[in-house]
Every structure is written in structure tokens, then in C-alpha cells.
Amino acid sequence: MPELTAEQRALVERLDRDKPDFDELIADGTITGEPGTMLAKVQLESLVFDLKARRESLGISVEAVAKESGLPLDVVSELEGGVIYNPTLNVLFRYAMALGASVELKMVDLDDEA
């Protein structure tokens, strides 16, 4: 599992304990900005976190992911490090495929999630 900062650990503990919904996170300032954009950002960060965790659990190096995916090493490193904030779908799919996985995109009716 990737190493979390103290701030990230505190947030994860709070989310696990309080289980706030998205509206509460916006209201208390945990998530700022336009809700649709922020939801996409949170989902993207979660996906990248999962990819990195899978890579580490498989014992695969960043260099091996770069080689297997055909992505430049700096792209893989910057994606994992949070430097690339808006990666292309191509980058995400190639990274996942290098780990023997895929990325699934689907539309979800927000009215049905309640």
C-alpha cells in the first residue's frame, strides 16, 4: 500500500469513522470547487492510488511498468506522485494493462445512487 502522509491518514480515518456523504465534504470544506469537477478529481486520485497499490503489491517497479506499458518513466513516476493531474485515458489503460488489469469507465445515474 502506498505511504500516506499524516494529513491523508487523518482524512481516511475520519472518512471511515464518520462516513460523510459528498455534500457534507463540500459543506465542511474538505472538498472545494465545482462538485462535478471535484468528484472526477477524487475518482481519478482513487484510481491512481489503486494502480500504485497494485503495482507495489505485485512487487513491480516503476521502471518495469514504464517498459511494459511503453510509457516514459517520468510519466509513470509523475502520475503516481500526483504531478499529472489530468492523465489521458490512454495513459491509464496502458498503466493498468502493464499490471494485468484494465480500467472500467461507466455512466452512473446519480438519481439511482441515493
Side-chain angles (χ1 to χ4, degrees):
M1 200 60 133
E3 187 68 29
L4 298 177
T5 66
E7 182 179 356
Q8 291 169 327
R9 276 192 306 279
L11 178 57
V12 168
E13 290 169 7
R14 180 182 150 231
L15 295 175
D16 285 343
R17 180 186 65 243
D18 300 342
K19 304 206 181 333
D21 64 23
F22 195 67
D23 291 331
E24 291 171 314
L25 294 172
I26 291 171
D28 72 11
T30 300
I31 296 176
T32 59
E34 194 275 317
T37 301
M38 293 314 299
L39 180 57
K41 181 178 183 296
V42 168
Q43 289 177 340
L44 180 60
E45 288 175 352
S46 177
L47 173 60
V48 172
F49 183 87
D50 290 346
L51 289 169
K52 182 177 179 181
R54 181 177 175 100
R55 177 186 65 75
E56 291 177 342
S57 73
L58 294 171
I60 299 173
S61 69
V62 174
E63 293 82 6
V65 169
K67 183 176 180 180
E68 181 67 25
S69 67
L71 295 168
L73 177 59
D74 63 325
V75 169
V76 176
S77 296
E78 290 174 1
L79 180 64
E80 285 193 3
V83 176
I84 298 177
Y85 296 105
N86 196 15
T88 64
L89 290 174
N90 183 45
V91 166
L92 295 170
F93 277 96
R94 288 168 63 184
Y95 185 119
M97 290 181 70
L99 302 176
S102 186
V103 173
E104 182 178 88
L105 299 174
K106 63 182 180 177
M107 183 191 77
V108 178
D109 189 335
L110 296 177
D111 292 334
D112 292 343
E113 285 195 341

